Amino acid sequence: MWDYTTSVVGASIQAADLLCRGEADVAINWGGGRHHARKAEAAGYCYSNDCVIAILYLQASHRHGRAREGRREGGVQRNRSSLP
């Protein structure tokens, strides 16, 4: 169960990171988002809420300056990040 949960959450964080670094315009974790987990507790068969964790990652990146003001490339707004 631990391996599955960390895979799903890790994939959602990786998708968020790709967006922050401007390596993707759209990032989807097709294996995520199937949960009943709540903010402070597990529910049903779910131990984590990967969507919320990815959103918190994006917010933290923005707050700490890792997500940069986007620049135009070929008419597409892209975010830049200082993450390695």
Side-chain angles (χ1 to χ4, degrees), residues 44-60:
Y45 56 88
C46 307
Y47 295 95
S48 63
N49 191 333
D50 63 296
C51 296
V52 169
I53 293 169
I55 290 167
L56 292 173
Y57 181 90
L58 290 167
Q59 288 175 337

Side-chain angles (χ1 to χ4, degrees), residues 25-67:
D25 295 322
V26 175
I28 300 170
N29 174 9
W30 290 110
R34 302 174 302 184
H35 53 73
H36 301 104
R38 295 179 178 90
K39 184 175 180 179
E41 64 183 305
Y45 56 88
C46 307
Y47 295 95
S48 63
N49 191 333
D50 63 296
C51 296
V52 169
I53 293 169
I55 290 167
L56 292 173
Y57 181 90
L58 290 167
Q59 288 175 337
S61 292
H62 181 70
R63 255 193 324 276
H64 297 292
R66 291 189 295 249

Side-chain angles (χ1 to χ4, degrees), residues 1-7 44-47:
M1 184 55 91
W2 174 255
D3 292 339
Y4 171 76
T5 301
T6 56
S7 301
Y45 56 88
C46 307
Y47 295 95

